Amino acid sequence: MTQGSAPGLLTVVREWGRIGCIGFGGPPTHIALLRALCVDRRKWLSAREFEDAVAACNLLPGPASTQLSIFCAWRVRGRWGALAGGVAFIVPGLVVILVLAALFLTGTPPAWVTGAGAGAGAAVAAVAVHAGVGLIPASRRRSAAANRLRWGAYLGAGLAAAAILGPWLVLVLLGCGIVEWTVHRSRDAGASPAALLVPAGKSVLAGAASAGVLLSVAWVALKVGALSYGGGFVIIPLMQADAVDHYHWMTGGQFLNAVALGQITPGPVVQTVAVVGYAAAGLGGGLLASAIAFSPSFVFVLLGARHFDRLRGNLAVRAFLDGAGPAAIGAILGSAIPLTLALTQAWQYGVLAGAAVLLLLLRRGVVLTLLAAGGAGVLLAVLGAPLPH
């Protein structure tokens, strides 16, 4: 603790819970609110400590803003603070999104509810492009001039994988990271990249055999929580392939609704997985999916927070992220393709075009854009426009 006295657990629960309630807008909002609390207002952390924490959390797989909230709570109140603060940050959004899931996934929702979901869902592909485009400048700046060609290749590989590979996307992300790590190591060790890639290529990502719906939900949630490099949209193609194509828990339209709900509710975008779990196994499935998806974040912080400074300086880790990072951005951009293909009504493409104009040309916010798209869907439903089934 650099400044200010250590808060009590009730203070941590109250302050982190408040952020969980008002944290609309995703990671940028969460980071700004945590900084205002911990650095500016309460002075529990110095500005340097907070910026270092942001950088370290961005090096980890999983939802970075959730990990940052857990880390800040750990920093000011230890392990119990991390648990209390992390849960308080996650629970408000979880409650809201499960209530909305019950409304949107009911067997016969009112036409205006279906219209709202169809309108907001139609805008999701534009939100994905907006998220990916926003990450490109910083990623390009981190890439040395000599690496620009590989950076572009990783970006293209992630985009193509998200568009056509579905659940195998994670292998491409890991592969890009391994390639860049191999190039980095070969320069240091004087070995040829090909010689170093042979043993790396022998590793295989093992799958888990499904032993019932809840185990399948747990497996999907674990992949979401442990593999979301670069932001929640990275795992959208993976979730879509599992929830819609493989397990058939949801229709394509219902999945679009789930992604939209994850964007317009407070708290982490990864909460989308709770809607998937709800569609698969009701309230128990939603709670299980959320608990498992966020477990890796708690584990990473509770076991590794003391080593975050060394993580930032580890050249091997940074080299891996230099490959996996651009691939993750490509995957975010590529996720727009299957999301667009999931649209079933002609008017939804008009809503998508309008959302793209709002986000990319007029630079309006994501929450405002999704609410406008949902409002357009309600209006069209009232006027008798055909709705997705």
Side-chain angles (χ1 to χ4, degrees):
M1 192 74 54
T2 57
Q3 307 176 57
S5 57
L9 281 178
L10 289 179
T11 300
V12 171
V13 170
R14 183 182 69 248
E15 295 292 350
W16 268 252
R18 180 181 62 85
I19 294 174
C21 289
I22 66 174
F24 295 91
T29 300
H30 304 156
I31 292 171
L33 290 171
L34 285 166
R35 193 184 197 285
L37 170 66
C38 296
V39 178
D40 300 334
R41 186 153 56 90
R42 295 295 191 119
K43 302 188 185 304
W44 289 326
L45 281 76
S46 69
R48 175 63 181 273
E49 286 175 313
F50 186 82
E51 296 306 321
D52 285 350
V54 172
C57 290
N58 280 322
L59 290 175
L60 298 172
S65 63
T66 301
Q67 290 163 349
L68 179 64
S69 74
I70 298 170
F71 176 84
C72 289
W74 173 84
R75 183 66 181 79
V76 303
R77 199 60 175 80
R79 294 191 175 216
W80 287 111
L83 291 169
V87 170
F89 175 75
I90 292 166
V91 164
L94 176 62
V95 171
V96 173
I97 203 168
L98 286 175
V99 170
L100 291 175
L103 177 65
F104 278 87
L105 297 180
T106 185
T108 55
W112 71 268
V113 172
T114 303
V124 167
V127 175
V129 173
H130 175 263
V133 169
L135 293 170
I136 287 177
S139 179
R140 286 275 289 176
R141 285 194 298 269
R142 287 194 297 268
S143 174
N147 296 337
R148 291 290 165 82
L149 183 61
R150 293 198 305 278
W151 182 91
Y154 300 144
L155 185 82
L159 193 155
I164 63 178
L165 294 184
W168 303 106
L169 165 64
V170 63
L171 294 179
V172 175
L173 298 182
L174 293 174
C176 290
I178 290 171
V179 168
E180 187 61 25
W181 169 80
T182 301
V183 171
H184 173 81
R185 183 179 170 187
S186 68
R187 287 174 176 169
D188 291 344
S192 68
L196 291 169
L197 276 173
V198 172
K202 294 180 180 178
S203 64
V204 177
L205 186 67
S210 173
V213 173
L214 288 179
L215 185 57
S216 299
V217 169
W219 173 234
V220 172
L222 181 62
K223 289 187 288 184
V224 167
L227 301 172
S228 54
Y229 291 98
F233 267 102
V234 173
I235 45 80
I236 294 302
L238 185 151
M239 273 199 294
Q240 186 176 25
D242 281 338
V244 178
D245 302 327
H246 183 63
Y247 294 113
H248 306 292
W249 294 328
M250 315 172 77
T251 65
Q254 288 174 328
F255 181 77
L256 289 173
N257 290 350
V259 178
L261 292 178
Q263 289 286 309
I264 64 176
T265 50
V269 176
V270 174
Q271 296 279 26
T272 300
V273 75
V275 186
V276 173
Y278 185 93
L283 180 60
L287 294 173
L288 176 68
S290 184
I292 291 179
F294 288 110
S295 292
S297 295
F298 284 94
V299 171
F300 288 146
V301 174
L302 291 174
L303 297 184
R306 297 182 183 277
H307 308 291
F308 273 16
D309 289 341
R310 278 184 286 174
L311 176 66
R312 286 195 66 202
N314 188 302
L315 296 180
V317 172
R318 298 191 70 86
F320 178 86
L321 267 295
D322 284 343
I329 296 173
I332 294 172
L333 295 170
S335 69
I337 296 174
L339 291 172
T340 301
L341 293 176
L343 302 179
T344 59
Q345 302 300 329
W347 63 263
Q348 290 182 289
Y349 292 96
V351 172
L352 172 58
V357 170
L358 283 175
L359 286 169
L360 301 175
L361 296 182
L362 301 181
R363 301 185 183 279
R364 297 294 185 260
V366 169
V367 174
L368 175 63
T369 298
L370 287 170
L371 291 176
V378 170
L379 178 61
L380 288 165
V382 171
L383 293 176
L387 299 173
H389 298 292

